[in-house]
Amino acid sequence: MPLAITATLSFVAPHPVDCLLQCEVAGTPQQRIVNGVTTLPAAMPVQRVAAQDGVGERFWITAEGEVSILYEATVEIARRPAELSSLGQVAKTALPGDTTQYLFDSRYCAAETFQSLVEDEFHSLHGGARVEAMRDWIAQHFTYAPGTSGSHTTARDSFVERRGVCRDYAHVMIAFARASGIPARYASCYAPEVTPQDFHAVAEVFLDDGTGGDWVLVDPTGMAEPHETAVIGVGRDAADVSFLTSFGLVDFGGHAVSVERY
Amino acid sequence: MPLAITATLSFVAPHPVDCLLQCEVAGTPQQRIVNGVTTLPAAMPVQRVAAQDGVGERFWITAEGEVSILYEATVEIARRPAELSSLGQVAKTALPGDTTQYLFDSRYCAAETFQSLVEDEFHSLHGGARVEAMRDWIAQHFTYAPGTSGSHTTARDSFVERRGVCRDYAHVMIAFARASGIPARYASCYAPEVTPQDFHAVAEVFLDDGTGGDWVLVDPTGMAEPHETAVIGVGRDAADVSFLTSFGLVDFGGHAVSVERY
Amino acid sequence: MPLAITATLSFVAPHPVDCLLQCEVAGTPQQRIVNGVTTLPAAMPVQRVAAQDGVGERFWITAEGEVSILYEATVEIARRPAELSSLGQVAKTALPGDTTQYLFDSRYCAAETFQSLVEDEFHSLHGGARVEAMRDWIAQHFTYAPGTSGSHTTARDSFVERRGVCRDYAHVMIAFARASGIPARYASCYAPEVTPQDFHAVAEVFLDDGTGGDWVLVDPTGMAEPHETAVIGVGRDAADVSFLTSFGLVDFGGHAVSVERY
Amino acid sequence: MPLAITATLSFVAPHPVDCLLQCEVAGTPQQRIVNGVTTLPAAMPVQRVAAQDGVGERFWITAEGEVSILYEATVEIARRPAELSSLGQVAKTALPGDTTQYLFDSRYCAAETFQSLVEDEFHSLHGGARVEAMRDWIAQHFTYAPGTSGSHTTARDSFVERRGVCRDYAHVMIAFARASGIPARYASCYAPEVTPQDFHAVAEVFLDDGTGGDWVLVDPTGMAEPHETAVIGVGRDAADVSFLTSFGLVDFGGHAVSVERY
């Protein structure tokens, strides 16, 4: 089933400011872009670069004055839901080199300090079964509470506070997985059941699906199903896949997202 | 002039523990490995993977009991010292895609919060001239003080405390550069004048050398000259290039490093 | 010149929640309360307790449903502006015991880590002259920017970010003073020139005025003059003198403050 | 049963440094000092001040060169072990004003962020029964591990890491209690079963013992029994009751503690 996606961003840059945007669905074997158009202010040059791990693209603009950005796309998702508990753990010593960075501490996911905790709470479980148990632990202990966290909030903060939004749920999931020796990255995405509708974020964990290992989506908020999740981009954590990163002062005017089954 | 490098690590793993090591000089066009041997306990299998950005290798072992590791190498460095002030700043919108991640906040280098500060202190300077001024600012305001920082210490902490070791100097340099829109990464290395002799760390910044941009070594401690610095590996910050990352409890027995001009 | 003060608070408590309020001007020799009335919902019991260091009062209520609080007062301030540079530093070994706590690290003011920095920047100055230089340093390097900081922001954060509101300015001032061996506390207050009108906060430092030592107001934002500042209460930092501390969930509806010369 | 206590501290101050010491057992109705002598370098002036909440004393010295301090005392403890589960919770609105500060966030115990967590985990319990359950939760989930924490470690850190020493156990206990609306403070102390022998730290919580409320010792490490615990001093957390606070650089030479039943 295709998804029809619309996202708008607007902001004002009093002075020229370089901005990096990442709001378009990534074209991947599992995500076919039926059509997709980004509309920018007339005559604004755009410089595109491949995004992290080759998943999707980012683009640079030099913003000045009022800037409105409109992204419209129709996307076919071919991702099949994984039966988490059927997936194995890839031995760390057998991990592909490019997954290694996703075992390390990052800005918001200082995973190493969680090692004792995950060993205590989930010691009898491995691979997908452990990920499933960790996801359910977060879902059970956390309250989805917009407005209680912010751009400074880390996985450690969220773990203590037991509340937050999709970003915070994903960060704790990532920290738990890495502390278990399972590579985990952050995926920004669009999904139709996100309430209220907004950009969404989930975790991706690297598990053994019988082919040597692959990235699998996990959403501790329970709002995004893998077969209806349109991934924009991936990174170590939220620091890497912001929809707007401005290198200088901008007045952010707001954003709106709509995702519908087509 | 070649460098003769010897490094030893020893630790005890009461139970089998997966360990990731990164202690060998990277073979690159600027670093010719004349000879290099890593000696591990007999019969210990080793799994090698390419390290970050393709600079050098990491290797996995599953440690158990007493483990001693000896690395011996002779290395020719062909890196020429850059005249920092002659290097330009690559426009952010012209940066290669794979340098973008080095603009973002990482575990120890939450650079975004330094934007106002670097703009205040260094606003009239760009590119290599700004990097040089930032390096000198750190050198002037910081005291090299082993034992005053640790694995929890971030660039923000060090900036307030104005002291630390090579790791901390490099983190502040990286945060300053990223806050200025200059990609910056962390490089672990060997260098002959490091006092006391130990693993060393410096920053690498991406500047315009007339060829579209390249990574340039910068050492705010002043102990490592680029033409005598043997880089082991690179990453976002110290979290990415530890010489030993253990996924479980080990009793670290110590390490020793010797680097001599040959 | 008297000040006419009006403050309103409103919030909703879905379930009964104990709340501690501190919004009334403290009656002290330097602050004569001409008249002062706090109006609470009818039939709401109030339990008053002396506030920290005996400066003013706090009161407890058990809130339920919609709660509106109105405070109206007319206050005569008899505090004379101190010539900061004329005030000496009390030797630490001569400090009264009850000022000792204001040398220690608190929630938002981890002062010890600033010791090297204040020694570097202000080493030639002591007592009031040093406080004046530190106040001016903050005023010069910081930008008053509502919305850029929050309840998680510490003096260390603000020092790196160089921006914030009165709370953040006061925290950095306190950290600098404590790191210099000068006891410093946080004072919440009302003042007429605060823009936009709101609860205000300043620092108080303990200096030698020829009588053995006394608390002196210092406002790095420059918005409050000591002879027009009506202190509500004092504490280690903002954690101690919130106008509303709720022990459970409340929906905060907003507040409004008006302070006028009468 | 009396306790015989000996503590020694030594350090070197290259330049004159003001130092605040707090290492003597407090004389209180529950702790009779049979005899107690502090021996300092000859001719070193000492300035004594009452310590926090009037519990014991601190003293200032101006240290220079090698300093050795010897404290020897014999102390009778008359404190009866409290049956925690029999103690009630004092309504917050009935708390004495001077306990209010022990509900607030402090340097190492940012308690407010633990409110959801304690409500989830301990919601059915109140007063002493809740404190007992929280103490047991910590004892069960934490590993006593000297060397894994330091002077930067907060209650949040320890809660995530699930390990530490007496200081860290006490901080988490304090954070849990405050988040439950129970005033809690930090007590440094001597106790005979502390292994290895060292200065010790426990929490004190304010509970209803039928007389309106009193402070009760709680040790989540299980090493100190109230009737054998000789309290030195109290504070918000470890920031307030260090045995040695130096306002300048000293080389700490070490300390030794012996506590024996007499």
Side-chain angles (χ1 to χ4, degrees), chain A residues 117-222:
Chain A
L117 182 140
V118 297
E119 197 50 37
D120 280 1
E121 296 286 342
F122 307 106
H123 57 87
S124 60
L125 300 168
H126 295 275
R130 179 180 277 211
V131 169
E132 192 174 54
M134 296 190 300
R135 180 200 65 189
D136 293 349
W137 190 96
I138 297 168
Q140 183 190 337
H141 287 87
F142 278 54
T143 302
Y144 198 83
T148 61
S149 59
S151 65
H152 59 280
T153 309
T154 68
R156 281 157 88 100
D157 295 331
S158 301
F159 176 72
V160 170
E161 297 170 22
R162 294 196 170 183
R163 60 184 185 187
V165 294
C166 56
R167 171 189 183 284
D168 308 301
Y169 280 66
H171 283 162
V172 176
M173 182 73 236
I174 289 166
F176 279 8
R178 290 184 191 163
S180 304
I182 299 170
R185 65 188 187 186
Y186 183 95
S188 65
C189 59
Y190 296 105
E193 295 291 340
V194 172
T195 310
Q197 283 249 315
D198 203 341
F199 292 102
H200 192 52
V202 301
E204 280 195 313
V205 293
F206 193 82
L207 290 171
D208 187 359
D209 59 350
T211 71
D214 204 357
W215 292 104
V216 177
L217 292 177
V218 184
D219 183 3
T221 73

Side-chain angles (χ1 to χ4, degrees), chain B residues 104-192:
Chain B
F104 294 146
D105 283 5
S106 62
R107 170 68 179 93
Y108 295 112
C109 301
E112 191 188 357
T113 55
F114 286 91
Q115 282 186 8
S116 297
L117 183 140
V118 298
E119 197 50 38
D120 281 1
E121 296 285 341
F122 308 106
H123 57 89
S124 60
L125 301 168
H126 295 274
R130 180 180 277 210
V131 169
E132 193 174 53
M134 296 190 300
R135 180 199 66 190
D136 293 347
W137 189 97
I138 298 169
Q140 183 190 338
H141 287 89
F142 277 55
T143 301
Y144 199 83
T148 61
S149 59
S151 64
H152 59 280
T153 308
T154 67
R156 278 156 89 99
D157 295 331
S158 301
F159 176 73
V160 170
E161 298 171 21
R162 295 198 169 180
R163 60 186 186 187
V165 294
C166 57
R167 171 190 184 284
D168 308 302
Y169 280 65
H171 283 161
V172 176
M173 182 73 235
I174 290 166
F176 278 7
R178 289 184 191 163
S180 305
I182 299 169
R185 64 188 188 187
Y186 183 96
S188 65
C189 59
Y190 296 106

Side-chain angles (χ1 to χ4, degrees), chain C:
Chain C
M1 184 182 287
L3 299 177
I5 297 165
T6 309
T8 58
L9 295 177
S10 63
F11 57 94
V12 178
H15 306 285
V17 174
D18 292 326
C19 295
L20 185 62
L21 287 113
Q22 190 168 14
C23 59
E24 300 166 349
V25 174
T28 73
Q30 299 184 312
Q31 304 188 152
R32 191 171 67 89
I33 313 297
V34 179
N35 55 65
V37 179
T38 298
T39 309
L40 291 153
M44 179 168 282
V46 165
Q47 185 64 35
R48 289 179 169 276
V49 288
Q52 195 151 329
D53 291 356
V55 177
E57 290 184 329
R58 298 170 175 131
F59 60 90
W60 286 99
I61 58 172
T62 301
E64 187 168 11
E66 286 189 38
V67 177
S68 288
I69 296 172
L70 168 65
Y71 172 64
E72 296 167 292
T74 307
V75 182
E76 288 266 15
I77 309 296
R79 183 179 293 111
R80 281 170 309 176
E83 187 70 47
L84 265 181
S85 59
S86 71
L87 299 174
Q89 184 154 344
V90 181
K92 285 187 284 295
T93 53
L95 286 169
D98 56 7
T99 66
T100 314
Q101 66 168 310
Y102 295 109
L103 290 172
F104 294 146
D105 283 4
S106 62
R107 170 69 178 93
Y108 295 111
C109 300
E112 191 188 357
T113 56
F114 286 92
Q115 282 186 7
S116 296
L117 183 141
V118 297
E119 197 49 39
D120 280 2
E121 296 286 341
F122 307 106
H123 57 88
S124 60
L125 300 168
H126 295 274
R130 180 180 277 211
V131 169
E132 192 173 53
M134 297 190 299
R135 180 199 66 190
D136 293 348
W137 190 97
I138 298 168
Q140 182 189 339
H141 287 87
F142 277 55
T143 302
Y144 198 83
T148 61
S149 60
S151 65
H152 59 280
T153 308
T154 66
R156 279 157 89 99
D157 295 331
S158 300
F159 176 72
V160 170
E161 298 171 20
R162 293 196 171 181
R163 59 184 187 188
V165 293
C166 57
R167 172 189 182 283
D168 308 301
Y169 280 66
H171 283 161
V172 176
M173 182 73 236
I174 290 167
F176 279 7
R178 289 183 191 164
S180 304
I182 299 169
R185 65 187 187 186
Y186 183 95
S188 65
C189 59
Y190 296 106
E193 294 292 340
V194 173
T195 310
Q197 284 250 314
D198 202 342
F199 291 105
H200 192 52
V202 300
E204 280 195 313
V205 293
F206 193 81
L207 290 171
D208 186 359
D209 58 351
T211 70
D214 202 357
W215 292 103
V216 177
L217 292 178
V218 183
D219 183 2
T221 73
M223 295 194 296
E225 296 295 331
H227 68 286
E228 292 190 326
T229 300
V231 170
I232 299 166
V234 298
R236 300 263 191 113
D237 58 32
D240 287 2
V241 280
S242 179
F243 55 81
L244 170 64
T245 307
S246 69
F247 291 82
L249 191 71
V250 302
D251 294 324
F252 193 65
H255 68 279
V257 170
S258 159
V259 183
E260 300 196 352
R261 297 185 191 94
Y262 196 63

Side-chain angles (χ1 to χ4, degrees), chain B residues 9-253:
Chain B
L9 295 177
S10 63
F11 57 93
V12 179
H15 306 287
V17 174
D18 291 326
C19 296
L20 185 61
L21 287 114
Q22 190 168 14
C23 59
E24 302 167 348
V25 175
T28 73
Q30 299 184 313
Q31 304 188 151
R32 192 171 66 88
I33 313 297
V34 180
N35 55 66
V37 180
T38 298
T39 309
L40 291 152
M44 177 167 284
V46 165
Q47 186 65 34
R48 288 178 171 275
V49 288
Q52 194 150 330
D53 291 355
V55 177
E57 290 185 331
R58 300 172 174 129
F59 60 92
W60 286 99
I61 58 173
T62 301
E64 185 168 11
E66 286 188 38
V67 178
S68 288
I69 296 173
L70 169 64
Y71 172 64
E72 296 167 293
T74 307
V75 182
E76 288 268 15
I77 309 297
R79 183 179 293 111
R80 281 170 309 175
E83 187 69 47
L84 265 181
S85 59
S86 71
L87 299 173
Q89 185 155 344
V90 181
K92 284 187 285 294
T93 53
L95 286 169
D98 56 6
T99 66
T100 314
Q101 66 168 310
Y102 295 109
L103 290 173
F104 294 146
D105 283 5
S106 62
R107 170 68 179 93
Y108 295 112
C109 301
E112 191 188 357
T113 55
F114 286 91
Q115 282 186 8
S116 297
L117 183 140
V118 298
E119 197 50 38
D120 281 1
E121 296 285 341
F122 308 106
H123 57 89
S124 60
L125 301 168
H126 295 274
R130 180 180 277 210
V131 169
E132 193 174 53
M134 296 190 300
R135 180 199 66 190
D136 293 347
W137 189 97
I138 298 169
Q140 183 190 338
H141 287 89
F142 277 55
T143 301
Y144 199 83
T148 61
S149 59
S151 64
H152 59 280
T153 308
T154 67
R156 278 156 89 99
D157 295 331
S158 301
F159 176 73
V160 170
E161 298 171 21
R162 295 198 169 180
R163 60 186 186 187
V165 294
C166 57
R167 171 190 184 284
D168 308 302
Y169 280 65
H171 283 161
V172 176
M173 182 73 235
I174 290 166
F176 278 7
R178 289 184 191 163
S180 305
I182 299 169
R185 64 188 188 187
Y186 183 96
S188 65
C189 59
Y190 296 106
E193 295 292 340
V194 173
T195 310
Q197 284 251 313
D198 203 341
F199 292 105
H200 192 52
V202 301
E204 280 195 314
V205 292
F206 193 81
L207 290 171
D208 186 358
D209 59 350
T211 71
D214 203 358
W215 291 104
V216 177
L217 292 177
V218 183
D219 183 2
T221 73
M223 295 193 296
E225 295 295 332
H227 67 286
E228 292 190 326
T229 300
V231 170
I232 298 166
V234 299
R236 299 264 191 110
D237 57 32
D240 287 2
V241 281
S242 179
F243 55 83
L244 171 63
T245 307
S246 70
F247 291 83
L249 191 71
V250 301
D251 294 323
F252 193 65

